Amino acid sequence: MEREKMTKQAYKEKTAPYRAWLNSISIPVALIVLFIAVFLGLTVNAAGMIIFVFAIITHVNYKKIQAPKICHVAPILYYVYNVVSVFYVMSLIVYPQVNIVSALLSLTNLVLLILVIAFYFVAAQAIKKQFPRMKEDYNEAVQAYKGKK
């Protein structure tokens, strides 16, 4: 009996929910690791940009799989977090000594980061609820696609 062959497009569509769920778990974990690394004084040059790119990809994937609206909150908050970060860095460059503006921006960033992490986990839960068979579908799609090669 020959396995059913799967096109690359069908493979991408079938595996999209699982990949979106996986990113919804990976991004907040990466943000936590990045925050701890920065807090410990480690230099992490491109890590923030890589996470940001994954957030954009994940946001696009949410639209493709028609994820619940709550899933879109985390990426949007992450975009706001990054904009506030730019203003925070600019305030530190203009006024290197501690001032009220940089302190407020720093506190705002911390609150936004906590919300981003929480909403990514909420998004992961919402995707899991919407696609209860996503892992099985993913495994079946991988097997069907590999059978093609």
Side-chain angles (χ1 to χ4, degrees), residues 53-100:
V53 169
F54 273 105
I56 293 170
I57 292 168
T58 303
H59 197 185
V60 170
N61 285 339
Y62 288 163
K63 287 193 179 276
K64 285 182 183 176
I65 66 170
Q66 298 175 346
K69 291 182 189 230
I70 192 76
C71 294
H72 299 280
V73 173
I76 292 169
L77 281 174
Y78 192 48
Y79 305 149
V80 171
Y81 167 83
N82 280 288
V83 169
V84 172
S85 293
V86 169
F87 288 114
Y88 173 64
V89 170
M90 287 175 26
S91 76
L92 289 177
I93 291 170
V94 173
Y95 300 106
Q97 54 278 60
V98 177
N99 63 44
I100 191 72

Side-chain angles (χ1 to χ4, degrees), residues 31-44:
L31 287 171
I32 291 168
V33 169
L34 181 64
F35 181 78
I36 291 171
V38 169
F39 186 73
L40 294 175
L42 300 173
T43 305
V44 281

